[in-house]
Amino acid sequence: MLKKFAVICTLMLCVLVAGCSDDQTATVIPQPETKQTQNNKNQEITVTVYRAPVNGEEYLLPEKVTRKAGAMTAPEIALDILVNSSPQDTAKMVSLFPKGTKIRTMKIEDGTAYVDFSKEIINVPQGSYTELMLTTAIVNTLTEFPEIKKVQILVDGKKIASLKGHTDILDPLERNTTLLKK
């Protein structure tokens, strides 16, 4: 009986010592994609983006767009559609993004989306109207998502005062419902 007790204590001591060693290496075995993650990538998602009207009036029109999710989050998809695609109804809506504008990064922290655009975004034509409509379209598109309350627009990784001197974007912007067509 004493021998069994000694063997068990020795084994427990070995396990305890091995568990307390300085060797912190661990093997991570990549998990195969499950059917659920494969389905999510192929799942279609509908987002709302906001576009300026062709007639130049000072309001934004909502446009619902459906697309496969892929590896992007819903806010990333919405922003990508807003920046990189033409409106579905070009007789009523227009995209205000200057040619060559790229989304460098987007991250969401504490309810604020930080969106970093390439420098081409500052080539906004037509003055204050276009600048206001463009910045409001970005903010209202992203604040459609409950996890986003404000949007900080960055250019080449830096805060700037405005795109063309008319709309202050130095601080994060909140949703502007006054420019939404009722």
Side-chain angles (χ1 to χ4, degrees), residues 42-134:
N42 292 326
Q43 180 183 1
E44 288 195 341
I45 185 167
T46 300
V47 296
T48 301
V49 297
Y50 289 91
R51 310 262 193 193
V54 169
N55 64 11
E57 290 187 33
E58 206 167 286
Y59 59 82
L60 292 171
L61 297 168
E63 177 182 40
K64 292 209 178 288
V65 182
T66 301
R67 184 166 114 180
K68 286 193 180 191
M72 299 171 94
T73 65
E76 289 170 332
I77 290 169
L79 187 62
D80 183 60
I81 290 168
L82 183 66
V83 174
N84 295 312
S85 70
S86 297
Q88 295 170 1
D89 186 352
T90 55
K92 291 183 182 176
M93 300 177 212
V94 63
S95 176
L96 299 173
F97 285 87
K99 222 174 198 156
T101 300
K102 305 244 183 306
I103 305 162
R104 296 181 58 203
T105 60
M106 181 178 131
K107 67 180 178 178
I108 302 167
E109 288 181 1
D110 300 323
T112 301
Y114 295 85
V115 184
D116 185 9
F117 291 99
S118 63
K119 66 179 183 267
E120 287 79 8
I121 196 167
I122 63 172
N123 297 327
V124 177
Q126 302 172 0
S128 63
Y129 169 81
T130 305
E131 184 177 355
L132 174 66
M133 300 305 279
L134 176 72

Coordinates of all heavy atoms in Angstrom, one line a residue, residues 42-134:
N42 N -20.3 32.6 -48.2 CA -21.2 32.5 -49.4 C -22.5 33.2 -49.2 O -23.3 33.3 -50.1 CB -21.4 31.1 -49.8 CG -20.1 30.5 -50.3 OD1 -19.3 31.2 -50.9 ND2 -19.9 29.2 -50.1
Q43 N -22.8 33.6 -47.9 CA -24.1 34.2 -47.6 C -24.2 35.5 -48.2 O -23.2 36.3 -48.2 CB -24.2 34.3 -46.1 CG -25.4 34.9 -45.6 CD -25.5 35.0 -44.1 OE1 -24.5 34.6 -43.4 NE2 -26.5 35.5 -43.5
E44 N -25.4 35.8 -48.7 CA -25.6 37.2 -49.2 C -26.0 38.1 -48.1 O -26.7 37.7 -47.2 CB -26.6 37.1 -50.3 CG -26.1 36.5 -51.6 CD -27.0 36.7 -52.8 OE1 -28.2 37.1 -52.6 OE2 -26.5 36.6 -53.9
I45 N -25.5 39.3 -48.2 CA -25.8 40.3 -47.2 C -26.4 41.6 -47.9 O -25.9 41.9 -48.9 CB -24.6 40.6 -46.3 CG1 -24.9 41.5 -45.2 CG2 -23.5 41.1 -47.1 CD1 -23.9 41.6 -44.1
T46 N -27.4 42.2 -47.3 CA -27.9 43.4 -47.8 C -27.5 44.6 -46.9 O -27.7 44.5 -45.7 CB -29.5 43.3 -48.0 OG1 -29.8 42.2 -48.8 CG2 -30.0 44.6 -48.5
V47 N -27.0 45.6 -47.5 CA -26.6 46.8 -46.7 C -27.2 48.0 -47.4 O -27.6 48.0 -48.5 CB -25.0 46.9 -46.7 CG1 -24.4 45.8 -46.0 CG2 -24.4 47.1 -48.1
T48 N -27.3 49.1 -46.6 CA -27.8 50.4 -47.1 C -26.6 51.3 -47.2 O -25.9 51.5 -46.2 CB -28.9 50.9 -46.2 OG1 -29.9 50.0 -46.1 CG2 -29.4 52.3 -46.7
V49 N -26.5 51.9 -48.4 CA -25.5 53.0 -48.6 C -26.2 54.2 -48.9 O -27.3 54.2 -49.4 CB -24.4 52.6 -49.6 CG1 -23.6 51.4 -49.2 CG2 -25.0 52.4 -51.0
Y50 N -25.6 55.4 -48.7 CA -26.2 56.6 -49.0 C -25.5 57.3 -50.1 O -24.3 57.4 -50.2 CB -26.3 57.5 -47.8 CG -27.3 57.0 -46.8 CD1 -26.9 56.1 -45.8 CD2 -28.6 57.3 -46.9 CE1 -27.8 55.5 -44.9 CE2 -29.6 56.8 -46.0 CZ -29.2 55.9 -45.0 OH -30.1 55.3 -44.1
R51 N -26.3 57.8 -51.1 CA -25.8 58.5 -52.3 C -26.4 59.8 -52.5 O -27.5 60.1 -52.0 CB -26.1 57.6 -53.5 CG -25.7 56.2 -53.5 CD -24.4 55.9 -54.1 NE -24.3 54.4 -54.3 CZ -23.1 53.9 -54.6 NH1 -22.1 54.6 -54.8 NH2 -23.0 52.6 -54.7
A52 N -25.7 60.7 -53.2 CA -26.2 62.0 -53.5 C -27.2 61.9 -54.7 O -26.9 61.1 -55.6 CB -25.1 63.0 -53.8
P53 N -28.2 62.8 -54.8 CA -29.1 62.7 -55.9 C -28.4 63.4 -57.1 O -27.6 64.3 -57.0 CB -30.3 63.5 -55.5 CG -29.7 64.5 -54.4 CD -28.6 63.7 -53.8
V54 N -28.8 63.0 -58.3 CA -28.2 63.6 -59.5 C -28.6 65.0 -59.7 O -27.8 65.9 -60.2 CB -28.7 62.8 -60.8 CG1 -28.4 63.5 -62.1 CG2 -28.1 61.4 -60.8
N55 N -29.8 65.4 -59.2 CA -30.3 66.8 -59.4 C -29.6 67.8 -58.5 O -29.9 69.0 -58.6 CB -31.8 66.8 -59.1 CG -32.2 66.5 -57.7 OD1 -31.3 66.4 -56.8 ND2 -33.5 66.3 -57.5
G56 N -28.6 67.4 -57.6 CA -27.9 68.4 -56.8 C -28.5 68.9 -55.6 O -28.0 69.8 -55.0
E57 N -29.7 68.3 -55.3 CA -30.4 68.8 -54.1 C -29.6 68.3 -52.8 O -28.9 67.3 -52.9 CB -31.8 68.3 -54.1 CG -32.7 69.0 -55.1 CD -34.2 68.6 -55.0 OE1 -34.6 68.4 -53.9 OE2 -34.8 68.6 -56.0
E58 N -29.8 69.0 -51.7 CA -29.1 68.7 -50.5 C -29.8 67.7 -49.6 O -30.3 68.0 -48.5 CB -28.8 70.0 -49.7 CG -27.6 69.9 -48.9 CD -27.1 71.3 -48.4 OE1 -26.6 72.1 -49.2 OE2 -27.3 71.5 -47.2
Y59 N -29.8 66.4 -50.1 CA -30.2 65.3 -49.3 C -29.5 64.1 -49.8 O -29.0 64.0 -50.9 CB -31.7 65.2 -49.3 CG -32.4 65.0 -50.7 CD1 -32.4 63.7 -51.3 CD2 -32.9 66.1 -51.4 CE1 -32.9 63.6 -52.6 CE2 -33.4 65.9 -52.6 CZ -33.5 64.7 -53.2 OH -34.0 64.5 -54.5
L60 N -29.6 63.0 -49.0 CA -29.0 61.7 -49.5 C -30.1 60.7 -49.7 O -31.1 60.7 -49.0 CB -28.0 61.2 -48.4 CG -26.7 62.0 -48.2 CD1 -26.0 61.5 -47.0 CD2 -25.9 61.9 -49.5
L61 N -29.9 59.8 -50.7 CA -30.9 58.8 -51.0 C -30.3 57.4 -50.5 O -29.1 57.1 -50.8 CB -31.1 58.7 -52.5 CG -31.8 60.0 -53.1 CD1 -31.7 59.9 -54.6 CD2 -33.2 60.1 -52.6
P62 N -31.1 56.6 -49.8 CA -30.7 55.3 -49.4 C -30.7 54.4 -50.6 O -31.6 54.4 -51.5 CB -31.7 54.9 -48.4 CG -32.9 55.6 -48.7 CD -32.5 56.9 -49.3
E63 N -29.7 53.5 -50.7 CA -29.7 52.5 -51.7 C -29.4 51.1 -51.1 O -28.3 51.0 -50.4 CB -28.6 52.8 -52.8 CG -28.4 51.8 -53.8 CD -27.3 52.1 -54.8 OE1 -26.3 52.6 -54.4 OE2 -27.5 51.9 -56.0
K64 N -30.2 50.2 -51.2 CA -30.0 48.8 -50.7 C -29.3 48.0 -51.7 O -29.7 47.9 -52.9 CB -31.3 48.2 -50.3 CG -32.0 48.8 -49.1 CD -32.8 47.9 -48.3 CE -33.5 48.5 -47.1 NZ -32.6 48.8 -46.1
V65 N -28.2 47.4 -51.3 CA -27.3 46.6 -52.2 C -27.1 45.2 -51.5 O -26.8 45.2 -50.3 CB -26.0 47.3 -52.5 CG1 -25.2 46.5 -53.4 CG2 -26.2 48.7 -53.0
T66 N -27.2 44.2 -52.3 CA -27.0 42.8 -51.8 C -25.7 42.3 -52.5 O -25.5 42.4 -53.7 CB -28.2 41.9 -52.1 OG1 -29.3 42.5 -51.5 CG2 -27.9 40.5 -51.6
R67 N -24.9 41.7 -51.6 CA -23.6 41.1 -52.1 C -23.2 40.0 -51.2 O -23.6 39.9 -50.1 CB -22.6 42.2 -52.0 CG -21.2 41.9 -52.6 CD -20.4 43.1 -52.8 NE -19.3 43.1 -51.9 CZ -18.3 44.0 -51.8 NH1 -18.5 45.1 -52.6 NH2 -17.3 43.9 -51.0
K68 N -22.3 39.1 -51.8 CA -21.8 38.0 -50.9 C -20.9 38.5 -49.9 O -20.1 39.4 -50.2 CB -21.1 37.0 -51.8 CG -22.0 36.1 -52.6 CD -21.3 34.9 -53.2 CE -22.4 34.2 -54.0 NZ -22.0 32.9 -54.4
A69 N -21.0 38.0 -48.7 CA -20.2 38.5 -47.6 C -18.7 38.3 -47.8 O -17.9 39.2 -47.5 CB -20.6 37.8 -46.3
G70 N -18.2 37.1 -48.3 CA -16.8 36.9 -48.4 C -16.2 37.0 -47.0 O -16.7 36.6 -46.1
A71 N -15.0 37.6 -47.0 CA -14.3 37.6 -45.7 C -14.5 39.0 -45.0 O -13.9 39.2 -44.0 CB -12.8 37.4 -46.0
M72 N -15.3 39.8 -45.6 CA -15.5 41.2 -45.0 C -16.7 41.2 -44.1 O -17.6 40.4 -44.2 CB -15.8 42.2 -46.2 CG -14.7 42.3 -47.2 SD -15.2 43.3 -48.6 CE -14.6 44.9 -48.1
T73 N -16.6 42.2 -43.1 CA -17.7 42.4 -42.2 C -18.8 43.3 -43.0 O -18.5 43.9 -44.0 CB -17.3 43.2 -41.0 OG1 -16.8 44.5 -41.4 CG2 -16.1 42.4 -40.2
A74 N -20.0 43.3 -42.4 CA -21.0 44.1 -43.0 C -20.6 45.6 -43.2 O -20.8 46.2 -44.3 CB -22.3 44.0 -42.3
P75 N -20.0 46.3 -42.2 CA -19.6 47.7 -42.4 C -18.6 47.8 -43.5 O -18.6 48.8 -44.3 CB -19.1 48.1 -41.0 CG -19.8 47.2 -40.1 CD -19.9 45.9 -40.8
E76 N -17.6 46.8 -43.6 CA -16.6 46.9 -44.6 C -17.2 46.7 -46.0 O -16.8 47.4 -47.0 CB -15.6 45.8 -44.4 CG -14.7 46.0 -43.2 CD -13.8 44.8 -42.9 OE1 -14.2 43.7 -43.2 OE2 -12.7 45.0 -42.3
I77 N -18.2 45.8 -46.1 CA -18.9 45.7 -47.4 C -19.6 46.9 -47.8 O -19.5 47.4 -48.9 CB -19.9 44.5 -47.3 CG1 -19.2 43.2 -47.2 CG2 -20.9 44.5 -48.5 CD1 -20.0 42.0 -46.8
A78 N -20.3 47.6 -46.9 CA -21.1 48.8 -47.2 C -20.1 49.9 -47.6 O -20.4 50.6 -48.6 CB -21.9 49.2 -45.9
L79 N -19.0 50.1 -46.9 CA -18.1 51.1 -47.3 C -17.4 50.8 -48.7 O -17.3 51.7 -49.5 CB -17.0 51.2 -46.2 CG -16.0 52.4 -46.4 CD1 -16.7 53.7 -46.4 CD2 -14.9 52.3 -45.4
D80 N -17.1 49.5 -48.9 CA -16.5 49.1 -50.2 C -17.5 49.4 -51.3 O -17.1 49.9 -52.4 CB -16.2 47.6 -50.2 CG -15.5 47.2 -51.5 OD1 -14.5 47.7 -51.8 OD2 -16.1 46.3 -52.1
I81 N -18.8 49.1 -51.1 CA -19.8 49.4 -52.2 C -19.9 50.9 -52.4 O -19.9 51.4 -53.5 CB -21.2 48.8 -51.8 CG1 -21.1 47.3 -51.8 CG2 -22.3 49.4 -52.6 CD1 -22.3 46.6 -51.2
L82 N -20.0 51.7 -51.3 CA -20.1 53.1 -51.4 C -18.9 53.7 -52.2 O -19.1 54.6 -53.1 CB -20.1 53.7 -50.0 CG -20.3 55.3 -49.9 CD1 -21.7 55.7 -50.5 CD2 -20.1 55.7 -48.5
V83 N -17.7 53.3 -51.9 CA -16.5 53.9 -52.5 C -16.3 53.3 -53.9 O -15.9 54.1 -54.8 CB -15.3 53.7 -51.6 CG1 -14.0 54.1 -52.3 CG2 -15.4 54.4 -50.3
N84 N -16.5 52.0 -54.1 CA -16.0 51.4 -55.3 C -17.0 51.0 -56.4 O -16.6 50.3 -57.4 CB -15.1 50.1 -54.9 CG -13.9 50.5 -54.2 OD1 -13.2 51.4 -54.6 ND2 -13.7 49.9 -53.0
S85 N -18.2 51.3 -56.1 CA -19.3 50.9 -57.1 C -20.1 52.1 -57.5 O -20.3 53.1 -56.7 CB -20.1 49.8 -56.6 OG -21.0 50.2 -55.6
S86 N -20.7 52.0 -58.7 CA -21.6 53.0 -59.1 C -23.0 52.7 -58.6 O -23.3 51.6 -58.3 CB -21.7 53.1 -60.7 OG -20.5 53.4 -61.2
P87 N -23.8 53.8 -58.4 CA -25.2 53.5 -58.0 C -26.0 52.6 -58.9 O -25.7 52.6 -60.1 CB -25.9 54.9 -58.0 CG -24.7 55.9 -58.0 CD -23.6 55.2 -58.7
Q88 N -26.9 51.8 -58.4 CA -27.7 51.0 -59.3 C -28.6 51.8 -60.2 O -28.9 51.4 -61.3 CB -28.5 50.0 -58.4 CG -27.7 49.1 -57.6 CD -28.5 48.3 -56.6 OE1 -29.7 48.4 -56.4 NE2 -27.8 47.4 -55.8
D89 N -29.1 52.9 -59.7 CA -30.0 53.8 -60.5 C -29.3 55.1 -60.8 O -29.4 56.1 -60.0 CB -31.3 54.0 -59.7 CG -32.3 54.8 -60.5 OD1 -32.0 55.3 -61.6 OD2 -33.5 54.9 -60.0
T90 N -28.5 55.1 -61.8 CA -27.7 56.3 -62.2 C -28.5 57.4 -62.7 O -28.0 58.6 -62.8 CB -26.6 55.9 -63.2 OG1 -27.2 55.3 -64.4 CG2 -25.6 55.0 -62.6
A91 N -29.8 57.2 -62.9 CA -30.7 58.3 -63.3 C -31.1 59.2 -62.1 O -31.4 60.3 -62.3 CB -31.9 57.8 -64.0
K92 N -31.0 58.6 -60.9 CA -31.4 59.3 -59.7 C -30.2 59.6 -58.7 O -30.3 60.5 -58.0 CB -32.4 58.4 -58.9 CG -33.7 58.3 -59.6 CD -34.7 57.6 -58.7 CE -36.0 57.4 -59.4 NZ -36.9 56.6 -58.6
M93 N -29.2 58.7 -58.8 CA -28.1 58.9 -57.8 C -26.7 58.9 -58.5 O -26.5 58.5 -59.6 CB -28.1 57.6 -56.9 CG -29.3 57.4 -56.1 SD -29.1 55.9 -55.1 CE -30.8 55.4 -55.1
V94 N -25.8 59.5 -57.7 CA -24.4 59.7 -58.2 C -23.4 59.3 -57.1 O -23.7 59.6 -55.9 CB -24.2 61.1 -58.8 CG1 -24.3 62.1 -57.7 CG2 -22.9 61.2 -59.5
S95 N -22.3 58.8 -57.5 CA -21.2 58.5 -56.6 C -20.3 59.8 -56.5 O -20.0 60.3 -57.6 CB -20.4 57.3 -57.0 OG -19.3 57.2 -56.1
L96 N -19.9 60.2 -55.4 CA -19.2 61.4 -55.2 C -17.7 61.2 -55.0 O -16.9 62.1 -54.9 CB -19.7 62.3 -54.1 CG -21.2 62.7 -54.2 CD1 -21.6 63.3 -52.9 CD2 -21.3 63.6 -55.3
F97 N -17.2 59.9 -55.0 CA -15.8 59.7 -54.7 C -15.0 59.9 -55.9 O -15.2 59.5 -57.0 CB -15.7 58.2 -54.2 CG -16.2 58.0 -52.8 CD1 -17.5 57.7 -52.6 CD2 -15.3 58.1 -51.8 CE1 -18.0 57.6 -51.3 CE2 -15.8 58.0 -50.5 CZ -17.1 57.7 -50.2
P98 N -13.9 60.7 -55.7 CA -12.9 60.9 -56.8 C -12.3 59.6 -57.3 O -12.1 58.7 -56.5 CB -11.9 61.8 -56.1 CG -12.5 62.4 -54.9 CD -13.5 61.4 -54.4
K99 N -12.0 59.6 -58.5 CA -11.4 58.4 -59.1 C -10.1 58.1 -58.4 O -9.3 59.0 -58.0 CB -11.0 58.7 -60.6 CG -11.3 57.6 -61.5 CD -11.1 58.0 -62.9 CE -11.9 56.9 -63.7 NZ -12.3 57.2 -64.9
G100 N -9.8 56.8 -58.2 CA -8.6 56.4 -57.5 C -8.7 56.3 -56.0 O -7.7 55.9 -55.4
T101 N -9.8 56.8 -55.4 CA -9.9 56.7 -54.0 C -9.9 55.3 -53.5 O -10.6 54.5 -54.0 CB -11.2 57.4 -53.5 OG1 -11.2 58.8 -53.9 CG2 -11.3 57.4 -52.0
K102 N -9.1 55.0 -52.5 CA -9.0 53.7 -52.0 C -9.2 53.7 -50.4 O -9.0 54.7 -49.8 CB -7.6 53.1 -52.2 CG -7.1 53.1 -53.6 CD -6.9 51.7 -54.1 CE -6.4 51.6 -55.5 NZ -7.1 52.3 -56.5
I103 N -9.8 52.6 -49.9 CA -9.9 52.4 -48.5 C -8.7 51.7 -48.0 O -8.4 50.6 -48.4 CB -11.2 51.6 -48.2 CG1 -12.4 52.1 -48.8 CG2 -11.3 51.4 -46.7 CD1 -13.6 51.1 -48.9
R104 N -7.9 52.4 -47.3 CA -6.6 51.8 -46.8 C -6.9 50.9 -45.7 O -6.4 49.8 -45.7 CB -5.6 52.9 -46.4 CG -5.2 53.8 -47.6 CD -4.2 54.9 -47.2 NE -3.1 54.2 -46.6 CZ -2.2 54.8 -45.8 NH1 -2.4 56.0 -45.4 NH2 -1.2 54.1 -45.3
T105 N -7.6 51.3 -44.7 CA -8.0 50.5 -43.5 C -9.3 51.0 -42.9 O -9.7 52.1 -43.1 CB -6.9 50.5 -42.4 OG1 -6.8 51.8 -41.9 CG2 -5.6 50.0 -42.9
M106 N -9.9 50.1 -42.2 CA -11.1 50.5 -41.4 C -11.0 49.6 -40.1 O -10.9 48.4 -40.2 CB -12.3 50.2 -42.1 CG -13.6 50.6 -41.3 SD -15.1 50.4 -42.2 CE -16.0 49.5 -41.0
K107 N -11.2 50.3 -39.0 CA -11.3 49.5 -37.7 C -12.3 50.2 -36.8 O -12.6 51.4 -37.0 CB -9.9 49.5 -37.0 CG -9.4 50.8 -36.5 CD -8.1 50.6 -35.8 CE -7.6 52.0 -35.3 NZ -6.3 51.9 -34.6
I108 N -12.9 49.4 -36.0 CA -14.0 49.9 -35.1 C -13.5 49.7 -33.7 O -13.1 48.6 -33.3 CB -15.3 49.2 -35.3 CG1 -15.7 49.3 -36.8 CG2 -16.4 49.7 -34.4 CD1 -16.8 48.3 -37.2
E109 N -13.5 50.9 -32.9 CA -13.1 50.8 -31.5 C -14.0 51.7 -30.7 O -14.2 52.9 -31.0 CB -11.6 51.4 -31.3 CG -10.5 50.5 -31.8 CD -9.1 51.1 -31.6 OE1 -9.0 52.2 -31.1 OE2 -8.2 50.4 -32.0
D110 N -14.6 51.1 -29.7 CA -15.4 51.9 -28.7 C -16.5 52.7 -29.4 O -16.8 53.8 -29.1 CB -14.6 52.8 -27.8 CG -13.6 52.0 -27.0 OD1 -13.9 50.9 -26.5 OD2 -12.5 52.6 -26.8
G111 N -17.1 52.1 -30.4 CA -18.3 52.7 -31.1 C -17.9 53.7 -32.2 O -18.7 54.3 -32.9
T112 N -16.6 53.9 -32.4 CA -16.1 54.8 -33.5 C -15.4 54.0 -34.6 O -14.5 53.1 -34.3 CB -15.1 55.8 -32.9 OG1 -15.8 56.6 -31.9 CG2 -14.6 56.8 -34.0
A113 N -15.8 54.2 -35.8 CA -15.2 53.6 -37.0 C -14.1 54.6 -37.5 O -14.3 55.7 -37.7 CB -16.2 53.3 -38.1
Y114 N -12.9 54.1 -37.5 CA -11.7 54.8 -38.1 C -11.5 54.4 -39.5 O -11.1 53.2 -39.7 CB -10.5 54.6 -37.2 CG -10.7 55.1 -35.8 CD1 -11.3 54.4 -34.8 CD2 -10.2 56.4 -35.5 CE1 -11.4 54.9 -33.5 CE2 -10.4 56.9 -34.2 CZ -11.0 56.1 -33.2 OH -11.2 56.6 -32.0
V115 N -11.8 55.3 -40.4 CA -11.7 54.9 -41.9 C -10.5 55.7 -42.5 O -10.6 57.0 -42.5 CB -13.0 55.2 -42.6 CG1 -12.9 54.7 -44.0 CG2 -14.1 54.5 -41.9
D116 N -9.5 55.0 -43.0 CA -8.4 55.7 -43.6 C -8.5 55.5 -45.1 O -8.4 54.4 -45.6 CB -7.1 55.0 -43.0 CG -5.8 55.7 -43.5 OD1 -5.9 56.8 -44.1 OD2 -4.7 55.1 -43.3
F117 N -8.6 56.7 -45.7 CA -8.7 56.7 -47.2 C -7.3 57.2 -47.8 O -6.5 57.8 -47.1 CB -9.7 57.8 -47.7 CG -11.1 57.4 -47.3 CD1 -11.8 57.9 -46.2 CD2 -11.8 56.5 -48.1 CE1 -13.1 57.5 -45.9 CE2 -13.1 56.1 -47.9 CZ -13.8 56.6 -46.7
S118 N -7.1 56.8 -49.0 CA -6.0 57.3 -49.8 C -6.1 58.8 -50.1 O -7.2 59.3 -50.0 CB -5.8 56.5 -51.1 OG -6.9 56.7 -51.9
K119 N -5.0 59.4 -50.4 CA -5.0 60.9 -50.6 C -5.9 61.3 -51.7 O -6.3 62.5 -51.8 CB -3.6 61.4 -50.8 CG -3.0 60.9 -52.1 CD -1.5 61.4 -52.3 CE -1.0 61.0 -53.6 NZ -0.2 59.8 -53.6
E120 N -6.3 60.4 -52.6 CA -7.2 60.8 -53.7 C -8.5 61.4 -53.3 O -9.2 62.1 -54.0 CB -7.4 59.6 -54.7 CG -6.2 59.3 -55.5 CD -5.1 58.4 -54.8 OE1 -5.4 58.0 -53.6 OE2 -4.1 58.2 -55.3
I121 N -8.9 61.0 -52.1 CA -10.2 61.5 -51.6 C -10.3 63.0 -51.5 O -11.3 63.6 -51.6 CB -10.6 60.8 -50.3 CG1 -12.1 61.0 -50.0 CG2 -9.8 61.3 -49.1 CD1 -12.7 60.2 -48.9
I122 N -9.1 63.7 -51.3 CA -9.1 65.1 -51.2 C -9.4 65.8 -52.6 O -9.5 67.0 -52.6 CB -7.9 65.7 -50.6 CG1 -6.6 65.4 -51.4 CG2 -7.7 65.2 -49.1 CD1 -5.4 66.0 -50.9
N123 N -9.4 65.1 -53.6 CA -9.7 65.6 -55.0 C -11.2 65.8 -55.2 O -11.6 65.7 -56.4 CB -9.1 64.7 -56.1 CG -7.6 64.7 -55.9 OD1 -6.9 65.7 -55.5 ND2 -7.0 63.6 -56.3
V124 N -12.0 66.0 -54.2 CA -13.4 66.2 -54.3 C -13.7 67.4 -55.1 O -13.2 68.5 -54.8 CB -14.0 66.3 -52.9 CG1 -15.5 66.6 -53.0 CG2 -13.8 65.1 -52.0
P125 N -14.5 67.3 -56.2 CA -14.8 68.5 -57.0 C -16.0 69.3 -56.4 O -16.6 68.8 -55.5 CB -15.1 67.9 -58.4 CG -15.7 66.5 -58.0 CD -15.0 66.1 -56.8
Q126 N -16.2 70.4 -57.0 CA -17.4 71.2 -56.8 C -17.7 71.8 -55.4 O -18.8 72.1 -55.1 CB -18.7 70.4 -57.2 CG -18.6 69.9 -58.6 CD -19.7 68.9 -59.0 OE1 -20.6 68.6 -58.1 NE2 -19.8 68.5 -60.2
G127 N -16.7 72.0 -54.6 CA -16.8 72.7 -53.4 C -17.6 72.1 -52.2 O -17.6 70.9 -52.0
S128 N -18.2 73.0 -51.5 CA -18.8 72.7 -50.2 C -19.9 71.6 -50.3 O -20.1 70.8 -49.4 CB -19.3 73.9 -49.5 OG -20.4 74.5 -50.2
Y129 N -20.8 71.7 -51.3 CA -21.9 70.7 -51.5 C -21.3 69.3 -51.6 O -21.8 68.4 -50.8 CB -22.7 71.1 -52.8 CG -23.7 69.9 -53.1 CD1 -24.9 69.8 -52.5 CD2 -23.3 69.0 -54.1 CE1 -25.8 68.8 -52.8 CE2 -24.2 68.0 -54.4 CZ -25.4 67.9 -53.7 OH -26.3 66.9 -54.0
T130 N -20.4 69.1 -52.5 CA -19.9 67.7 -52.7 C -19.1 67.2 -51.4 O -19.3 66.1 -51.0 CB -18.9 67.7 -53.9 OG1 -19.6 68.2 -55.0 CG2 -18.5 66.3 -54.2
E131 N -18.4 68.1 -50.8 CA -17.7 67.7 -49.6 C -18.6 67.3 -48.4 O -18.5 66.3 -47.8 CB -16.8 68.9 -49.1 CG -15.9 68.5 -47.9 CD -15.0 69.6 -47.5 OE1 -14.9 70.7 -48.2 OE2 -14.3 69.5 -46.5
L132 N -19.7 68.1 -48.3 CA -20.7 67.8 -47.2 C -21.4 66.5 -47.5 O -21.6 65.6 -46.7 CB -21.7 69.0 -47.1 CG -22.9 68.7 -46.2 CD1 -22.4 68.6 -44.7 CD2 -23.9 69.8 -46.4
M133 N -21.8 66.3 -48.8 CA -22.6 65.1 -49.2 C -21.7 63.9 -49.1 O -22.1 62.8 -48.6 CB -23.1 65.3 -50.6 CG -24.1 66.5 -50.7 SD -25.5 66.4 -49.5 CE -26.6 65.3 -50.3
L134 N -20.4 64.0 -49.5 CA -19.5 62.9 -49.4 C -19.2 62.4 -48.0 O -19.4 61.3 -47.7 CB -18.2 63.2 -50.1 CG -17.1 62.2 -50.0 CD1 -17.4 61.0 -51.0 CD2 -15.7 62.8 -50.4

